[in-house]
Amino acid sequence: MTIRFSPRDMVSLTILAEMYGAPIDVVAEVLGVSINRAYRITARWEEGGMISGRRMRPVPGPSWIWPTKPAAEVLLGRPVRYWVPTPKMAAHTKAALQLRLALTGMDLDRWISERALRAEVGMTQAGKPRPHIHDGRYYTETGELWAIEVELTAKNIVTARTSVFQAWKVAQTAECVGVAYYCRGEAAKNVIRTVTGALDLSDGPRMRLFDLDEFLAKQKVQPSSPDLRPGLRVIAGGAADHETPQVTDRTENGKAVSQ
């Protein structure tokens, strides 16, 4: 029996391959369908050899879906490393995908994934540190390129200072107009505020700070057209175009300042 894949299938699978994988509830968000419908669709993907038949729960909650290594290589057009969800990375992987959906929806051209950036850097020589890799980059509808960092826990100040500066320097090299930090909780946000305020970032990319969960909640809307993917819309800009006093910081003299 031949399994046929629709354009929606292929776009959804490509996004999953770029973002490694996702729990079934987020896969349903990608597809714009109910979870029950998502189970039926992913069963067809599995039958067609596009996703792993393993059903892992790296953290409590729904089982995860991820493309097989051969499928990911076909979808992305390059070799990839074997990947399965792990407890250490599950929350971060999920958050990065949900943020991508909020910022760019199903647009494959406006998001550069961490997996793609990692492949671009390639293998590092023994004894040399790996350059900082952003959690993603994306283009606003006006063509601005922003680097994305997702922080789910508060780093210690020393580690955070190094990480923030490296993220900023790499963004500068990549000609990004800014670096947007999306943090979960006040502790993580306070660390980024403190570190950014102590660094001289006046000559380079702008810095922006968002509350991750508040931002995601604000981007979910009711579908207004049958032509739109239900549950989510393409957001025109995010870091550049959707600043609100409650969740966004502005920059003065290169420092992130709470509004």
Side-chain angles (χ1 to χ4, degrees):
M1 177 181 175
T2 301
I3 305 295
R4 294 175 180 261
F5 297 106
S6 69
R8 180 181 67 169
D9 288 324
M10 297 308 295
V11 170
S12 300
L13 284 163
T14 299
I15 289 174
L16 285 180
E18 289 178 341
M19 306 302 289
Y20 299 103
I24 188 66
D25 58 333
V26 180
V27 174
E29 290 183 36
V30 173
L31 290 164
V33 300
S34 68
I35 291 182
N36 287 339
R37 177 63 178 153
Y39 275 118
R40 293 194 292 271
I41 292 172
T42 54
R44 182 163 49 82
W45 291 353
E46 181 184 343
E47 188 176 356
M50 299 302 288
I51 63 171
S52 173
R54 300 173 65 185
R55 292 296 175 265
M56 295 178 62
R57 289 183 172 84
V59 293
S63 59
W64 277 61
I65 303 295
W66 67 96
T68 63
K69 184 176 184 294
E73 290 180 337
V74 170
L75 290 163
L76 302 181
R78 64 175 183 272
V80 301
R81 290 185 176 182
Y82 176 73
W83 185 89
V84 295
T86 64
K88 182 178 179 180
M89 292 303 297
H92 192 275
T93 300
K94 176 182 177 180
L97 175 50
Q98 289 179 308
L99 181 58
R100 172 182 177 161
L101 294 175
L103 290 169
T104 63
M106 301 291 282
D107 193 330
L108 295 177
D109 295 326
R110 288 176 54 206
W111 185 272
I112 305 171
S113 69
E114 181 266 349
R115 197 173 202 177
L117 295 173
R118 191 171 294 277
E120 184 179 296
V121 169
M123 299 292 291
T124 55
Q125 295 182 2
K128 289 189 176 181
R130 177 183 287 274
H132 183 89
I133 298 172
H134 296 131
D135 292 324
R137 296 177 192 153
Y138 85 103
Y139 289 95
T140 70
E141 288 190 337
T142 59
E144 290 186 337
L145 179 62
W146 281 79
I148 297 297
E149 294 290 329
V150 176
E151 298 287 338
L152 302 185
T153 58
K155 293 184 173 74
N156 69 65
I157 294 296
V158 174
T159 300
R161 183 183 297 115
T162 300
S163 177
V164 168
F165 185 72
Q166 289 181 346
W168 183 81
K169 287 296 292 183
V170 171
Q172 187 176 48
T173 301
E175 299 183 340
C176 299
V177 301
V179 182
Y181 274 83
Y182 291 83
C183 300
R184 174 161 288 160
E186 287 301 317
K189 287 195 293 183
N190 286 338
V191 168
I192 300 302
R193 286 194 189 99
T194 300
V195 167
T196 305
L199 293 171
D200 180 8
L201 307 178
S202 57
D203 185 20
R206 303 191 295 264
M207 302 294 288
R208 293 290 184 268
L209 179 62
F210 290 77
D211 184 289
L212 173 65
D213 295 314
E214 288 184 16
F215 182 82
L216 292 178
K218 286 179 181 293
Q219 308 315 313
K220 290 197 174 184
V221 297
Q222 294 298 318
S224 58
S225 165
D227 296 326
L228 293 176
R229 184 171 60 86
L232 289 166
R233 61 175 177 171
V234 175
I235 302 300
D241 301 335
H242 289 270
E243 299 177 44
T244 59
Q246 293 81 5
V247 298
T248 310
D249 287 4
R250 58 190 174 87
T251 301
E252 291 181 355
N253 299 322
K255 303 180 188 301
V257 181
S258 179
Q259 290 185 319

